[in-house]
Each structure stands twice: as C-alpha cells, then as structure tokens.
Amino acid sequence: MQRTVNTAAVVPVLAGLIQKACYELGDDVVGALRAAEQREESPYGRDTLRTLLDNAAYAKEAQIACCQDTGACVVALEVGQEVSWTGAPLTDAVNEGVRKGYGEGYLRKSLVRDPLDRVNTGDNTPAMLHAEIVAGDRVHITVLPKGGGSENMSALAVLVPSAGAEGVRDFVLKTVEAAGGKPCPPCVVGVGIGGTADVCAWLAKKAHLRPIGERNPDPRYAALERDLLERINDLGIGPMGMGGRITALDVHIEQYPCHITSLPVAVNFQCHSARRASAWI
C-alpha cells in the first residue's frame, strides 16, 4: 500500500542524527575500542586507546563533537518503493537537514563550494547523498560523517580477473601500509569488490554502515574479512600510528557483480571515531 511522506519530515530527523553521530560513538565502536585496549601489546598503544575511550565518554556526556573534523556528511537513504514524496525536492530537504544539524550542533563546516577555488560553503552542504530503492513503505536514513584524514587515504584499482582473491588481499594490505597513521587508526577498513569504478568506491564506503563485528553473509568474503583483519594487525602500525598490535578494529567487505574483463577493488578508511547514526521514517 502506498504511503505519502512530506520531505519536510526528513529535516529534523537528519539534523538530530548528525548531532548524535558526532557526539556519541556507537556501542559497537566503544566495545571494539575496549576490546582493542585489552589486546594491545604496546604500552603507547594502550595509553592511546585509553585516551580515545576517555574522549568518547566525555564527548557523549558533554554532548560535544568527539573529533573536531566533523566531516563531509554522507547520507544514505533506503527508500521503500511504496513511498510517495510530497513537498520540496528531497535533495533540498536533505541539505536543509544537514544545514540545521551542523549549525545548531556547533559542528565544524568543512565543505568547499568548488574543488579549486576552495571557498567554504559555510553550512557543510551539500550532503554526499546516496539513495537506494528497496521494498516496503518506509525510509531508512543513515548519516556517516566522514573526516578528511581517513577519506584522503582512499584508493581504487581495477585489477585483471586473474589477480583473484590474492590480488585483492595484496592491494588492501599495501594500501593500509602506505596509509600508516594518517587515517587515525585503529580504523575500520571498508573494501569494495566488483561493480564499475564508481560503484566499487561506493561499496567500500557503504561497508561502514555495517556494525563492527558483523561479518559478510557470504562465507568466502567473511573468511577474507577475518584474514585481512589479522594481516593488517600484524603490520605494526598501531593506534594513531604509534606502533602496536591494533591497527584495525575490523574489515568489512561489500561485493557486487562486475564485467568479465575486470576486477575492481576499492579501500575506504573510517577512523577510530567511526561515526554513524540511523533512524526510520
């Protein structure tokens, strides 16, 4: 049955999610940081992880940003095919929600209007909007504030199909090793495999929507996630690049069909402040 939703309903929900994501790390992230502290072998690494946990606790209590880089605002919408929109254009409503969330939340505005003239937009719009049509009559909204330090270490390669899983593994490990401490580890490493170049890059970022510890439902990719996590944590980069055991909190892989002649693979980092928040309309 068709359900009508006014796009104005998106604005307050999105504004609230942005502030929640920037102020309060999810239970999965905090739990992963605590587990990392217990496993970390380096004294410097343990001290760093304790500092990150103290920072997260204070940010939540004081309702302030847990990191000064409140990022570009990635917005993922899963829109039920039975939803009919009324009101202003949906993109306008999304950007108004971002404007309201960053303004009222006293969050840093990091967006520039043009990649070359570098003039700040002043309100952190436009959003990096991704929309997907799904079954049902509801809308699922997720915000993913994406800091520059982690985003800047993104990488994409289109391998030949014969490279296989070993080629994917090598590319991911070389990317993480080259990034070192720049993406503010311990990170969540998102990996996209398949699609075309643009789809693959989104898959790597979409992987961050999954809670830490939740494996890919395909056993082959779940095994690759576990293997990569172990190998990444053997690199010795450690928390904030200070050296140690825990460089990654988790590895998440998303895959999609691809052309017979290509094997695209993308890597996208999420820093230790793995921020995300979701709600239904």
Side-chain angles (χ1 to χ4, degrees):
M1 182 179 297
Q2 191 175 68
R3 173 173 172 248
T4 300
V5 179
N6 193 299
T7 56
V10 170
V11 176
V13 173
L14 193 51
L17 288 175
I18 288 166
Q19 293 172 41
K20 180 178 177 62
C22 289
Y23 298 164
E24 304 177 15
L25 293 184
D27 291 342
D28 62 317
V29 181
V30 173
L33 288 170
R34 285 179 179 151
E37 183 191 1
Q38 296 300 313
R39 293 181 53 223
E40 181 54 65
E41 299 165 1
S42 161
Y44 290 117
R46 285 195 300 273
D47 286 346
T48 300
L49 289 163
R50 278 193 289 269
T51 299
L52 297 178
L53 285 163
D54 289 345
N55 178 76
Y58 182 79
K60 182 176 181 179
E61 180 182 0
Q63 290 291 280
I64 58 175
C66 63
C67 176
Q68 85 284 351
D69 185 354
T70 51
C73 190
V74 179
V75 179
L77 300 182
E78 294 178 88
V79 182
Q81 65 181 10
E82 303 302 327
V83 171
S84 175
W85 295 102
T86 62
L90 180 58
T91 301
D92 291 353
V94 167
N95 284 326
E96 180 58 28
V98 171
R99 189 176 295 114
K100 182 179 176 69
Y102 276 82
E104 294 180 355
Y106 301 100
L107 303 172
R108 194 182 84 181
K109 289 79 175 176
S110 302
L111 264 285
V112 295
R113 70 183 185 184
D114 182 271
L116 297 182
D117 72 26
R118 312 305 292 181
V119 176
N120 199 294
T121 65
D123 58 10
N124 223 55
T125 66
M128 305 299 152
L129 178 60
H130 300 267
E132 180 181 356
I133 305 300
V134 298
D137 64 355
R138 302 180 72 192
V139 181
H140 190 243
I141 304 176
T142 301
V143 298
L144 190 76
K146 202 66 179 59
S150 59
E151 187 68 13
N152 289 351
M153 296 298 104
S154 302
L156 170 72
V158 181
L159 307 178
V160 294
S162 60
E166 193 61 36
V168 169
R169 185 183 292 108
D170 287 347
F171 176 72
V172 173
L173 291 173
K174 287 176 182 176
T175 300
V176 174
E177 188 168 24
K182 293 178 183 178
C184 298
C187 301
V188 180
V189 181
V191 180
I193 305 174
T196 50
D198 56 326
V199 170
C200 191
W202 166 237
L203 290 174
K205 184 166 286 152
K206 185 179 180 181
H208 296 311
L209 304 181
R210 194 194 316 164
I212 291 175
E214 184 178 304
R215 298 267 70 89
N216 188 298
D218 186 316
R220 297 170 301 165
Y221 291 101
L224 185 55
E225 288 174 338
R226 287 189 291 267
D227 180 57
L228 281 168
L229 180 60
E230 182 177 352
R231 290 171 184 255
I232 288 169
N233 285 334
D234 284 339
L235 292 175
I237 297 167
M240 296 301 288
M242 299 289 287
R245 166 62 59 183
I246 308 299
T247 300
L249 298 175
D250 210 349
V251 176
H252 291 164
I253 297 173
E254 294 292 325
Q255 75 277 8
Y256 198 78
C258 63
H259 194 275
I260 57 173
T261 66
S262 64
L263 175 56
V265 55
V267 176
N268 189 270
F269 294 88
Q270 184 63 299
C271 67
H272 59 76
S273 293
R275 297 163 292 185
R276 109 179 75 77
S278 301
W280 289 93
I281 292 180

